Amino acid sequence: RKLVAGRIDYFLDSRTGLDHYLSHEFAQYKGQVKILEPPLVTDKLYCAISRKVPNAEQIARDFDAGILKIKENGVYEEILDRHGISH
């Protein structure tokens, strides 16, 4: 609200967070906010699995295989679209 009202010029957030805000909480401002490119920082996301968990390595392999499968069959894109996350 402060950005659109001109009270601040910029703010930093993750692209995922910004997409969420502009799709859900502040949808009325979607066309009024400009996203600057390129991003200041691009980080990877990680799924941590404790080594103390039985079969931790197998769980990680299964997770990676599952992500690859849903990316290949289009489900991943559907999930992102459903939650208003750009890709």
Side-chain angles (χ1 to χ4, degrees):
R1 285 181 260 219
K2 288 181 182 183
L3 183 67
V4 174
R7 293 176 58 200
I8 60 173
D9 295 320
Y10 303 95
F11 76 96
L12 298 175
D13 198 352
S14 69
R15 182 61 187 252
T16 304
L18 184 58
D19 287 340
H20 173 78
Y21 293 137
L22 291 175
S23 293
H24 297 91
E25 298 177 41
F26 300 104
Q28 69 271 26
Y29 302 124
K30 194 167 192 166
Q32 300 176 47
V33 174
K34 180 179 178 183
I35 299 170
L36 300 178
E37 296 287 347
L40 294 174
V41 177
T42 302
D43 291 324
K44 294 182 178 183
L45 294 176
Y46 296 90
C47 180
I49 302 169
S50 173
R51 291 184 182 142
K52 294 179 182 179
V53 172
N55 302 319
E57 289 181 19
Q58 184 62 47
I59 292 169
R61 283 192 298 274
D62 291 346
F63 180 85
D64 290 342
I67 291 290
L68 183 60
K69 184 176 181 178
I70 67 171
K71 283 183 175 182
E72 289 172 349
N73 69 18
V75 170
Y76 185 81
E77 297 286 328
E78 291 173 14
I79 293 169
L80 294 179
D81 289 343
R82 188 175 339 131
H83 294 282
I85 299 170
S86 65
H87 37 90

